[in-house]
């Protein structure tokens, strides 16, 4: 069984409302996933699957792949825009918790590879 790394984070739903609603999302990484993917689970059952590489690159500069556009918003936040048949969803994350989670995925993957060797 492969290690799964889970962490909760807060995301602001970007809408036309004056105060952006904040939701708790679950970030999940399974070391067995190929390519390396991050699952972002929202309340109500919606889940996004985005490559770890795309999130990491989006922390430094704007990137786009498939249905995702990701870009840094200042030094402390990250914006993720997802396009689907149902429309466009935009969320804003604080960068620090996301960076910590991504670092854990690298150390977890390294431990899993060592254990398999």
């Amino acid at each position: 069984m492969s290690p799964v790394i889970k962490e909760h984070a807060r995301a602001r739903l970007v809408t036309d409302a004056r105060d952006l609603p904040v939701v708790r999302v679950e970030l999940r990484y399974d070391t067995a996933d190929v390519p390396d993917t991050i699952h972002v689970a929202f309340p109500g059952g919606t889940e996004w699957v985005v490559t770890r590489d795309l999130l990491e690159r989006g922390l430094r500069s704007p990137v786009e792949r498939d249905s995702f556009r990701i870009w840094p918003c200042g030094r402390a936040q990250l914006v993720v825009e997802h396009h689907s048949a149902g429309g466009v969803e935009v969320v804003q994350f604080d960068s620090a918790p996301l960076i910590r989670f991504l670092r854990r995925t690298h150390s977890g993957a390294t431990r899993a590879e060592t254990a398999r060797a």
Side-chain angles (χ1 to χ4, degrees), residues 2 19-20 36 40 43 51 63 69-70 72 77-78 81 86 98 105:
S2 62
D19 293 319
L20 301 181
D36 289 338
V40 183
T51 63
V63 294
R69 291 182 183 161
I70 303 172
Q77 296 177 327
L78 178 76
E81 179 179 299
L98 193 56
T105 69

Side-chain angles (χ1 to χ4, degrees), residues 39-52:
H39 298 260
V40 183
F42 292 88
T46 300
E47 183 171 289
W48 294 352
V49 179
V50 60
T51 63
R52 180 172 64 180

Side-chain angles (χ1 to χ4, degrees), residues 4-49:
V4 175
I5 298 167
K6 293 182 184 180
E7 194 166 304
H8 287 94
R10 294 179 346 153
R12 287 172 206 79
L13 304 177
V14 178
T15 67
D16 57 0
R18 192 167 169 208
D19 293 319
L20 301 181
V22 176
V23 297
R24 186 175 160 156
V25 299
E26 180 183 78
L27 304 171
R28 189 175 69 253
Y29 173 77
D30 185 336
T31 58
D33 284 350
V34 177
D36 289 338
T37 55
I38 304 297
H39 298 260
V40 183
F42 292 88
T46 300
E47 183 171 289
W48 294 352
V49 179

Side-chain angles (χ1 to χ4, degrees), residues 54-65:
L54 192 66
L55 279 175
E56 290 173 334
R57 290 185 338 181
L59 285 162
R60 295 184 301 275
S61 62
V63 294
E64 182 176 348
R65 185 182 308 149

Side-chain angles (χ1 to χ4, degrees), residues 66-86:
D66 302 323
S67 59
F68 288 98
R69 291 182 183 161
I70 303 172
W71 64 92
C73 183
R75 294 177 53 129
Q77 296 177 327
L78 178 76
V79 176
V80 180
E81 179 179 299
H82 180 254
H83 295 255
S84 68

